[in-house]
Amino acid sequence: MADNYSPRPEDKFTFGLWTVGNVGRDPFGEPVRSPLSPVALVHLLAELGAYGVNLHDNDLVPIDATPAERDRIVRDFKRALAVTGLVVPMATTNLFADPAFKDGAFTANDPGVRAYALQKTMKAIDLGVELGAGIYVFWGGREGVETDAARDPLVALARFRDALNFLTEYVRDQEYDLRFALEAKPNEPRGDIYLATTGAMLGFIETLDHPEMVGVNPEVAHEQMAGLNFLHAVAQAWDAGKLFHIDLNDQFPGRYDQDFRFGAANPKNAFFLVKFLEDVGYDGSRHFDAHAYRTEDVEGVKAFARGCMRTYLILKEKARRWNEDAEIQGLLQEANADRDDAAEILGPYSRERAEALKGAALDRIALGARGLAYERLDQLTTEILLGVR
Ligand code: GCO
Ligand code: MN
Ligand code: MN
């Protein structure tokens, strides 16, 4: 039954074929669910009210498919998109599953592997563009090491830069309307992955030949695995004009790569994230890169996907409530109030302002004694989240 928390296309909720298609394999156990075809997954997502579906090249076209098989698979997939109205806003390359990539792809020591990675990525970019994608994600899952004896990290950075420069030129040469989004992860499947955080990616982007074509795809779990504040990473990306895409899921810090349903581990973090995205007017996909618990059958997979979207919409509603709450806004105003006429002296540098600041009568003891009422503010937030306010 449709309610306020039912997804609509304008919510821009997307899922990867690999997310709802996850068969529940883990390092200790075999699959628990039968694979569904890409066409079946498109229909499943349409039934749930998703807006789009994203994919790795090999989620759709097996790595050993002949050109004729590829064309047939793509034709059937496009038909399913046309019938359901689903779109493909993002595509990416699987540069981690095949044994050829055991030492990485663009950063691998073997030049043959680096050449194959470029070849595979160009073909996957062609596929993504054919399906209508405007964002192309680079997640360097195997771009890392177990031992730094294997490679100088400076060499790895240079190789990764060369590959991205090559591929931005390829996109320009083909006149594709496509932007890249780099996705950081600190570890798993490698012991350490290069450019481990969104902040590291943002710094690296500025060293590329076409930084204007490249942004980031931050993922909740990837920053939280490292014990970092995901919202802060997203805010930095937004501030830099680089939030091209986002991977939503959840994760308890210090555990394995969990990929839980959005909001499942830490609804309060998820709340501040949703509030941020809605407040700033982020208009990209809300992409769920997560999967159902291994205990689930296909009904459980649907419950998982519905839960991701529903939680996002519930938190969006809570964010509206928070923004409109008079007591919360009053407390924020109090915390930001200028009791020292300091606003007059603050501002861009000038010699006069510097002199004025040096001479200003600022009461250090009084500043330190002031209570900021964040306990009350946070409790009010908690009460909104727990549904009693
Ligand atoms: C992971 C990553 C991947 C990527 C995907 C698209 O931890 O496995 O999050 O799911 O997002 O490969 O680039
Ligand atoms: Mn991930
Ligand atoms: Mn991801």
Side-chain angles (χ1 to χ4, degrees):
M1 203 176 56
D3 61 13
N4 286 345
Y5 311 122
S6 303
R8 294 155 310 159
E10 53 269 37
D11 297 318
K12 296 202 175 163
F13 291 136
T14 64
F15 289 83
L17 280 180
W18 70 95
T19 64
V20 279
N22 181 288
V23 290
R25 183 186 289 109
D26 73 14
F28 305 94
E30 301 304 331
V32 293
R33 295 183 281 269
S34 322
L36 293 173
S37 72
V39 166
L41 290 168
V42 167
H43 284 279
L44 180 143
L45 286 174
E47 174 195 330
L48 301 177
Y51 160 75
V53 57
N54 300 321
L55 49 94
H56 301 87
D57 48 355
N58 304 136
D59 296 339
L60 181 61
V61 183
I63 196 164
D64 52 2
T66 64
E69 284 164 349
R70 176 218 185 262
D71 290 348
R72 185 187 50 74
I73 291 167
V74 172
R75 197 189 55 226
D76 291 349
F77 189 67
K78 280 178 162 173
R79 194 173 297 143
L81 294 173
V83 168
T84 57
L86 254 69
V87 293
V88 179
M90 178 273 257
T92 182
T93 329
N94 187 324
L95 294 172
F96 43 89
D98 195 84
F101 299 123
K102 60 181 184 277
D103 187 33
F106 303 135
T107 62
N109 280 342
D110 186 334
V113 174
R114 300 204 298 276
Y116 176 58
L118 281 177
Q119 178 193 74
K120 190 172 194 291
T121 303
M122 284 189 289
K123 290 182 182 175
I125 285 177
D126 296 343
L127 172 66
V129 169
E130 181 178 347
L131 295 171
I135 296 288
Y136 202 84
V137 163
F138 290 83
W139 171 61
R142 299 264 177 209
E143 312 289 11
V145 282
E146 284 68 44
T147 165
D148 285 315
R151 184 168 34 249
D152 178 342
L154 277 178
V155 169
L157 288 173
R159 287 178 184 161
F160 195 49
R161 180 180 302 115
D162 287 348
L164 286 172
N165 285 340
F166 186 94
L167 292 166
T168 49
E169 290 301 349
Y170 176 70
V171 166
R172 287 158 59 84
D173 198 23
Q174 299 294 315
E175 300 186 7
Y176 288 156
D177 185 12
L178 191 69
R179 295 186 302 165
F180 292 177
L182 310 185
E183 178 178 343
K185 187 177 184 183
N187 55 267
E188 218 176 317
R190 296 308 293 269
D192 289 289
I193 300 176
Y194 300 121
L195 297 164
T197 62
T198 299
M201 286 297 186
L202 287 168
F204 177 73
I205 288 169
E206 296 310 315
T207 72
L208 299 174
D209 288 348
H210 290 288
E212 74 285 356
M213 291 173 64
V214 187
V216 290
N217 177 35
E219 173 170 318
V220 178
H222 295 180
E223 304 289 326
Q224 294 190 353
M225 280 170 78
L228 299 175
N229 183 314
F230 182 65
L231 173 63
H232 296 187
V234 169
Q236 192 194 353
W238 178 263
D239 184 61
K242 294 294 188 191
L243 189 64
F244 288 7
H245 199 264
I246 193 163
D247 277 8
L248 303 173
N249 55 13
D250 215 349
Q251 167 82 35
F252 287 102
R255 306 287 176 90
Y256 64 99
D257 181 8
Q258 294 176 310
D259 284 338
F260 284 155
R261 188 181 73 257
F262 182 57
N266 191 330
K268 193 165 163 190
N269 283 5
F271 164 74
F272 283 114
L273 174 65
V274 170
K275 182 172 135 45
F276 179 87
L277 295 175
E278 297 301 322
D279 284 352
V280 298
Y282 167 76
D283 72 349
S285 296
R286 275 79 172 157
H287 171 70
F288 297 105
D289 187 8
H291 51 76
Y293 302 146
R294 193 165 176 270
T295 47
E296 302 309 291
D297 60 8
V298 73
E299 284 311 311
V301 170
K302 290 184 190 176
F304 145 80
R306 281 199 188 96
C308 285
M309 297 187 282
R310 197 171 163 79
T311 295
Y312 188 101
L313 292 172
I314 293 169
L315 294 175
K316 183 175 165 179
E317 158 69 11
K318 300 282 183 195
R320 191 186 55 74
R321 228 172 241 265
W322 197 95
N323 288 340
E324 288 172 1
D325 189 297
E327 189 176 353
I328 287 177
Q329 294 310 318
L331 287 171
L332 281 174
Q333 236 171 37
E334 261 302 289
N336 287 279
D338 180 11
R339 298 182 189 78
D340 307 283
D341 294 328
E344 283 169 29
I345 21 174
L346 287 170
Y349 182 83
S350 69
R351 193 167 290 172
E352 296 67 45
R353 183 163 281 128
E355 284 309 315
L357 259 169
K358 278 181 170 175
L362 296 166
D363 184 345
R364 174 179 58 82
I365 307 288
L367 290 171
R370 214 163 268 164
L372 292 166
Y374 294 160
E375 282 288 358
R376 178 74 187 145
L377 185 60
D378 189 64
Q379 179 64 21
L380 292 176
T381 306
T382 299
E383 293 194 8
I384 287 184
L385 286 178
L386 294 182
V388 297
R389 189 173 174 86

